[in-house]
Amino acid sequence: MKRTMDKKNLEIYIHIPFCVKKCDYCDFLSMKADESTKREYVHALIREIELSREKMKDYQIDTVFIGGGTPSILDGEYIEEIMQALSENSLVSEDAEITIECNPGTVTEEKLLTYRNAGINRISFGLQSADDEELKSIGRIHNYAQFEESFRLAREAGFDNINIDIMSALPGQSIETYQNTLKKVISLQAEHISAYSLIVEEDTPLNDRVQEALEKGIDILPDEDTEREMYYLTERKLSEADYKRYEISNYSKAGYECRHNIGYWKRVEYLGFGLGAASMYQGMRYNNTYEMDKYIGLLSDGKDEDCDFYGDNDFFQDDIWDIREDVLSVLEGKIQRLTRKDMMEEFMFLGLRMIEGISEKEFQKNFGRSYDSVYGKVTEKLIAQELIEKNGDNVKLTKRGVDVSNYVMSQFLL
């Protein structure tokens, strides 16, 4: 449907938690599952979308992101059914950006054509590295040749907006191997590249391996200087290939910035559907339950008067929403009501992730207070440290500020 000026924009995130195998570095909500569980989950997810019809009626859907997990391991028909449910229960803009995450080796020509027919117009491939040994070191299920084949199939299916995820600072990775990954990815001329530095999370197989090696006096990860060199190499090589850096970790050809992620950084409201999915809606942040049985059970037959919808949070006694009619029934009670202080902080540390920075006028429009009255002193300090700069209405990170962005963001906590 066409864009409607009298409706606010809303973003949709749809979580597909299933994987062929969980990667060694992954701490996301994902798991292996049999076909029966996948089928029940998709039906529950569609029911959640249906129950949210009333919540979406005053909005138009500007972006949809189907993430995971590995959404592409589902049968294409399931993705088609999910998209159909969304279009039947909300107003999806005619020019909406609709993305699906895919792992190399899990897509076929038939699946990709099904995605196109369902309205999906953007693919995000998780490559991570063009070096097969590095892929093995982080537990990826594919090799580079499988990625190339998946990318080719996506192009042939008509996808002209493709993102490739790559990672630096991997176990055993060198400047030379990382530069080769950049070279190969650039040669494919994808419209968008997301380049992240590996973060070793606790309670992952990779962390166990890193710690075991350290106990033997061996560091299997690149040292800090090498990691920093990879970081600068990324920006230089992608810039030379006409990729514009528009966010700390994201680069695109002109006009192909990821609208969905920009919405997150600019605090556009969004609803998350599926297991553990997060939402920011009407001044609140909350998550769906992380328990698969609970999620499917609560949504399998609609309303169940004997079911404990309320969890441990007093929010569920509030009359703002009829909880028994609402998809919030699948929550575990993790509700954060955003105060104006919360919103101001988010405006800054999310907005400053973008290379263009934030607008002082937008700050005053959103919060009814001048930017300087809230952040004048900290801004003066950071300007003196050459970490941010002001140009008229604009406040943004300097090149040096981008390098130490975590420190800069922390200064905007009130």
Side-chain angles (χ1 to χ4, degrees):
M1 296 184 183
K2 291 185 178 179
R3 199 173 277 275
T4 307
M5 298 306 294
D6 62 342
K7 290 184 180 290
K8 295 187 295 182
N9 285 347
L10 182 70
E11 300 196 324
I12 299 296
Y13 175 76
I14 295 171
H15 190 62
I16 308 297
F18 308 119
C19 285
V20 175
K21 170 188 171 294
K22 199 175 181 78
C23 297
D24 291 353
Y25 59 88
C26 179
D27 70 340
F28 293 161
L29 182 56
S30 60
M31 65 203 73
K32 294 177 69 173
D34 57 29
E35 287 304 313
S36 175
T37 301
K38 292 175 185 175
R39 181 172 60 253
E40 289 178 355
Y41 179 80
V42 169
H43 291 163
L45 195 152
I46 288 171
R47 176 64 176 152
E48 184 184 4
I49 292 171
E50 292 170 347
L51 285 170
S52 299
R53 182 186 183 96
E54 191 69 14
K55 290 171 72 175
M56 296 187 286
K57 71 175 183 178
D58 295 326
Y59 296 84
Q60 62 183 2
I61 309 305
D62 191 52
T63 71
V64 180
F65 197 99
I66 306 172
T70 307
S72 52
I73 70 170
L74 286 183
D75 289 342
E77 290 77 7
Y78 284 146
I79 300 297
E80 202 168 28
E81 289 173 17
I82 292 167
M83 288 303 303
Q84 183 177 347
L86 189 61
S87 66
E88 289 176 352
N89 290 279
S90 67
L91 177 67
V92 180
S93 299
E94 193 174 68
D95 64 344
E97 175 194 88
I98 304 176
T99 305
I100 187 168
E101 287 186 330
C102 299
N103 260 7
T106 63
V107 295
T108 62
E109 179 183 3
E110 182 182 7
K111 272 187 186 178
L112 289 162
L113 291 173
T114 300
Y115 298 163
R116 291 283 294 167
N117 291 335
I120 295 170
N121 51 30
R122 186 173 183 271
I123 296 280
S124 181
F125 280 118
L127 168 60
Q128 315 315 350
S129 172
D131 185 286
D132 288 349
E133 289 305 311
E134 290 173 5
L135 291 173
K136 288 179 184 176
S137 77
I138 55 174
R140 299 291 287 174
I141 63 169
H142 64 89
N143 57 35
Y144 183 69
Q146 288 174 305
F147 162 76
E148 282 191 309
E149 175 65 7
S150 296
F151 188 90
R152 182 186 67 79
L153 288 173
R155 284 295 197 218
E156 290 181 355
F159 285 96
D160 57 6
N161 191 356
I162 299 178
N163 169 64
I164 302 174
D165 285 344
I166 59 173
M167 296 178 75
S168 58
L170 301 178
Q173 192 175 52
S174 66
I175 295 294
E176 291 71 28
T177 60
Y178 183 61
Q179 187 160 336
N180 186 54
T181 289
L182 285 170
K183 181 179 178 181
K184 287 185 174 181
V185 169
I186 288 169
S187 71
L188 293 170
Q189 291 296 298
E191 286 69 32
H192 191 284
I193 296 173
S194 297
Y196 303 101
S197 181
L198 173 68
I199 297 174
V200 181
E201 303 285 359
E202 293 185 13
D203 300 322
T204 62
L206 180 58
N207 183 63
D208 294 342
R209 201 160 77 243
V210 168
Q211 296 306 317
E212 288 171 6
L214 286 173
E215 289 172 6
K216 298 175 183 176
I218 303 168
D219 192 349
I220 63 175
L221 298 174
D223 61 36
E224 190 173 330
D225 289 342
T226 301
E227 181 178 354
R228 180 58 53 183
E229 190 174 345
M230 291 175 179
Y231 173 82
Y232 289 127
L233 185 66
T234 304
E235 183 180 21
R236 186 170 72 251
K237 290 297 183 182
L238 292 180
S239 177
E240 290 171 357
D242 294 326
Y243 286 93
K244 177 186 175 184
R245 187 184 198 181
Y246 68 96
E247 190 270 344
I248 291 174
S249 301
N250 287 274
Y251 302 76
S252 76
K253 298 288 190 179
Y256 286 96
E257 297 85 355
C258 178
R259 285 161 50 190
H260 186 82
N261 284 344
I262 288 174
Y264 284 150
W265 300 319
K266 291 192 172 183
R267 300 189 69 257
V268 175
E269 289 180 277
Y270 59 90
L271 288 178
F273 297 121
L275 192 69
S279 298
M280 185 186 77
Y281 179 78
Q282 296 189 356
M284 282 169 288
R285 288 189 181 275
Y286 52 87
N287 287 76
N288 285 359
T289 179
Y290 291 85
E291 298 176 27
M292 180 66 78
D293 289 346
K294 185 176 182 182
Y295 179 80
I296 291 175
L298 285 166
L299 288 161
S300 62
D301 55 0
K303 301 174 220 174
D304 180 352
E305 295 300 323
D306 296 323
C307 189
D308 178 15
F309 286 145
Y310 295 107
D312 299 324
N313 195 309
D314 290 340
F315 171 84
F316 295 131
Q317 307 301 331
D318 201 314
D319 291 330
I320 291 176
W321 286 320
D322 179 359
I323 200 67
R324 293 185 183 276
E325 295 289 333
D326 198 278
V327 70
L328 287 180
S329 60
V330 300
L331 298 178
E332 290 185 319
K334 298 178 180 178
I335 300 287
Q336 178 192 4
R337 289 181 181 276
L338 296 174
T339 64
R340 186 163 68 161
K341 169 182 169 292
D342 295 330
M343 294 178 188
M344 287 178 179
E345 291 174 343
E346 288 186 358
F347 182 93
M348 295 306 299
F349 64 69
L350 291 175
L352 284 175
R353 287 193 62 88
M354 300 190 64
I355 302 305
E356 69 178 24
I358 63 97
S359 160
E360 291 186 16
K361 290 178 183 175
E362 282 296 311
F363 185 92
Q364 179 148 5
K365 178 182 174 183
N366 286 345
F367 306 115
R369 294 181 64 182
S370 72
Y371 175 85
D372 283 340
S373 70
V374 181
Y375 286 120
K377 289 183 179 179
V378 70
T379 298
E380 288 178 8
K381 181 182 80 168
L382 292 170
I383 289 174
Q385 294 173 339
E386 299 182 349
L387 298 177
I388 65 172
E389 59 189 20
K390 284 182 69 171
N391 183 9
D393 172 57
N394 181 248
V395 180
K396 66 178 184 178
L397 297 175
T398 62
K399 187 175 179 63
R400 184 181 171 200
V402 171
D403 293 346
V404 291
S405 58
N406 287 342
Y407 164 75
V408 178
M409 307 306 186
S410 71
Q411 300 305 297
F412 288 94
L413 296 175
L414 296 171

